[in-house]
Amino acid sequence: MLRVMLVDDEPPARRSLRQLLAAHDDIEVVAEAASVGQALALMAEVAPHVLFLDVELLDGRGFDVIRAAEHRPELRPLHIVFVTGYSRYAIEAFDVEAMDFLLKPVEPDRLTLTLDRLRRRIGPAPVPDEPAPARARSAPERLLVTLSGQSLYLPLDAIISVLAEGDYSRITIGSGQSYLICRLLGQFAAELPSPPFLRLSRSVIVNIGSIARVVWRDGGRARLHFNDTAPSLELGRAGTRRLRQLSATHAGLGEAPTLHMG
């Protein structure tokens, strides 16, 4: 999966590009930023492979992001695709060795060419169903989220799932209560310890330690059951495929439960 970050100070432009990228199964938008400062902070957190970068941002220019990243080894290597409404920046973009230069509004066919170039340069993306590497044992025991101006500390062992809902993510805990958080799912995937949290698809993260029962359904789907108070969760084909792989290899995951078929 190629991890992509969008940097543009216009939300409609980010939304449009994110929708175009969603047509490509091996592309994952892990974060969005509207300024140089936000971009640098998120880059360090989510480690994208590619920046789709506008030139004119709220607090500077896209070139400022590139210059700042050059002095921070943890932010490299990084591939840049400029996305702007001004063709006059093309020469300057290629002077900083950008992979490509797209003019707004971005055409789907033109974006496909750009992604093909990125795949050739970066190499094949990791298989989406490949289990994530284990995190350090020093992972935090609580997850800090912001909701309606309040900071909430959710115990990790209480969280059963995190689901993508557009620009938001919905966290559900064992009591059945859920919280809609203004953060992309990719940011939670980078923060939550794995195991027990595993990303089963582009839109679903599940705490496998909280699964009580799995019902395998026709059509390559499955439904996860947790406890008497938490709602069950229907998985699509991609999530079910990965779950089957995990049920066959769960002994190697250490903290994963035995997955029962129902």
Side-chain angles (χ1 to χ4, degrees), residues 192-212:
L192 291 169
S194 175
F197 291 93
L198 293 178
R199 189 164 189 172
L200 298 181
S201 70
R202 296 173 63 176
S203 59
V204 176
I205 296 173
V206 168
N207 180 349
I208 59 171
S210 67
I211 299 174

Side-chain angles (χ1 to χ4, degrees), residues 32 71 130 208 246:
E32 299 182 17
H71 301 287
E130 180 180 329
I208 59 171
L246 292 174

Side-chain angles (χ1 to χ4, degrees), residues 45-93:
E45 179 180 346
V46 304
H49 300 125
V50 184
L51 284 190
F52 280 80
L53 182 62
D54 193 8
V55 174
E56 298 183 358
L57 302 173
L58 291 176
D59 58 348
R61 302 200 309 160
F63 299 104
D64 298 329
V65 175
I66 297 173
R67 294 187 187 98
E70 288 176 348
H71 301 287
R72 296 177 60 179
E74 74 275 15
L75 301 184
R76 296 179 290 157
L78 189 66
H79 301 277
I80 305 295
V81 175
F82 277 99
V83 185
T84 179
Y86 305 99
S87 60
R88 65 177 180 269
Y89 293 117
I91 294 177
E92 190 174 358

Side-chain angles (χ1 to χ4, degrees), residues 1 28 128-129 162-164 185 189 198-206 235-240 242:
M1 190 75 72
E28 177 187 10
D129 290 334
V162 187
L163 308 180
L185 191 74
L198 293 178
R199 189 164 189 172
L200 298 181
S201 70
R202 296 173 63 176
S203 59
V204 176
I205 296 173
V206 168
L235 292 179
R237 292 182 179 86
T240 300
R242 179 165 188 196

